[in-house]
Amino acid sequence: MSRAYNFSSGPAALPEPVLQRARDEMLDWGSARASVMEVSHRGKEFIALAEQAEQDLREILAIPAGYKVLFLQGGATQHFAQIPMNLAQGRASDYLVTGHWGEKAVKEAAPYTSVQVVANSADSKFMQLPPRAQWKLDPEAAYFHYTPNETIAGVEIHEVPDVGNVPVIADMSSTLLSRPIDVSQFGLIYAGAQKNIGPSGVVVLIVREDLLERCPKSIPNIFNYAAHAKEGSMLNTPPTFAWYLAGLNFQWIKSEGGLAAIGERNRIKAERLYGYIDGSGFYSNPVEIAARSWMNVPFRLPDEALDAAFLKESEAAGLLALKGHRSVGGMRASIYNAMPLAGVEALIEFMKDFAARKA
Ligand SMILES: Cc1ncc(COP(=O)(O)O)c(C=O)c1O
C-alpha cells in the first residue's frame, strides 16, 4: 500500500477507519441491498442515517437546545452570500477580517448587507491579529462575522470575541471539530466539510433558532435557511454520500474519546511542530505566537531556492501536499484530526534531515 501522510489543506486526509468502513460498505450498505449512493434520501435507511449523524454531532459538540443543525450544499463560499441574505434584514453587519477567507466573506456579503469592517490585519500580511482596542464594533449590527481559523496564513483566534448582544457568526471551515467549543456563544456556525468533517460537497451549519425568524420570505426557498430547517435539510436532494461519510467521521470522533481527546492530540501535534520550527535555526513561522493555528502550520525555508527540492524530496519520503498557498509561498502543513502524531513526527524527522544536508 502506498498511502502517504497527507498534509493537504483541503480536501484533506480522512481517518483511515472511516475510509475502510466506507470501502467495506460500498456495494452493500446496511439493509439497503445497494450502495448508500444508490438509495432515496427519503427512504427509511437514509433518514435513519441522517438522524444518527445529527444526533452524533449534537453529542460531540454538546449543542444546546434551541439550535438547528443543517447539512447543506454550496461550500462555505455560497454561505458567505447566503448569511446576509437570510440574517441582515436590511441592516449593516460587522466583519472582522484576519485573512483571505474573511476578505472573501466581505466581498460576497456586500450585495446583501452594508458591510462594516470592524478591523483588518491586511497591513501585517495577516501575520498578526488586529489589536482588540482598535476594533470598531457597532452594537446595532445585524451580526458580527469572523473566521476563527484562517487556513492560508495559519492564523487562529483562540477566544470567541465578546461583542455584547450582537449574534456571533463564525466560518469554522478549518477548525470545527478540532477541539471542544461552547456553541452557546454563537448565533451561527458554518463549515465546509472537507477538512475535519468529511469529503467536500456538504456544509454543516448550526444556527440559533430565533435567528431563523429573520429569514425573509422574499428570497428563493433554496437559499432560505428557515425553509431548509423546516424540511430537515431535505428541501431538495442532499449530498447523500458526503453526509454518510460525515456521519462515519462523527462516529470515529466518538470512538476516539470525543473532542476533549481529539483536542488534546491536536494541541500536542501543533506544539511539537511549532517547537521544532522555532528551535531549528533553519525554518521559520512568521505568525504572532498567540495567534498560531493548530490546524494549518505555514513555514518558510531560509532561501526560496530550496523550496522545489524540499517539495520533491518530501513527496518522495511519503509526505504529501506541503506546498504553501500561492499568496503566502513557502510551505504549509495542515494537521487536521486525521493526521496522527506519527505523521507530524515523520515530517519533523524529514525536516531535520533536510536542514542538516542544506544548512
Ligand atoms: C476558512 C475557510 N473558509 C471558506 C473556505 C471556502 O470553502 P469552499 O471551497 O467549500 O467554498 C475555505 C476553503 O478552504 C476555508 O478554509
Side-chain angles (χ1 to χ4, degrees), residues 9-11 74-80 100-102 104 147-152 171-175 190-195 200-203 296 332 336:
S9 60
T77 304
Q78 182 173 306
H79 295 273
F80 290 162
H100 170 89
W101 294 111
K104 270 209 133 169
T147 316
N149 187 68
E150 281 284 356
T151 322
I152 292 177
D171 170 8
M172 288 208 178
S173 293
S174 50
T175 181
Y190 65 112
Q194 62 270 20
K195 286 97 161 62
S200 58
V202 67
V203 171
N296 311 98
R332 172 178 47 171
Y336 299 115

Side-chain angles (χ1 to χ4, degrees), residues 95-168:
Y95 279 72
L96 177 68
V97 177
T98 55
H100 170 89
W101 294 111
E103 277 187 330
K104 270 209 133 169
V106 162
K107 250 196 190 145
E108 295 298 312
Y112 305 103
T113 185
S114 165
V115 171
Q116 306 176 141
V117 175
V118 167
N120 185 335
S121 51
D123 281 356
S124 74
K125 297 206 165 68
F126 299 124
M127 297 299 149
Q128 296 187 348
L129 295 178
R132 184 67 172 78
Q134 290 171 13
W135 297 12
K136 292 198 182 67
L137 292 166
D138 174 3
E140 302 298 324
Y143 57 81
F144 166 87
H145 179 283
Y146 81 119
T147 316
N149 187 68
E150 281 284 356
T151 322
I152 292 177
V155 173
E156 184 156 6
I157 300 173
H158 291 280
E159 300 285 325
V160 181
D162 177 1
V163 295
N165 290 328
V166 176
V168 174

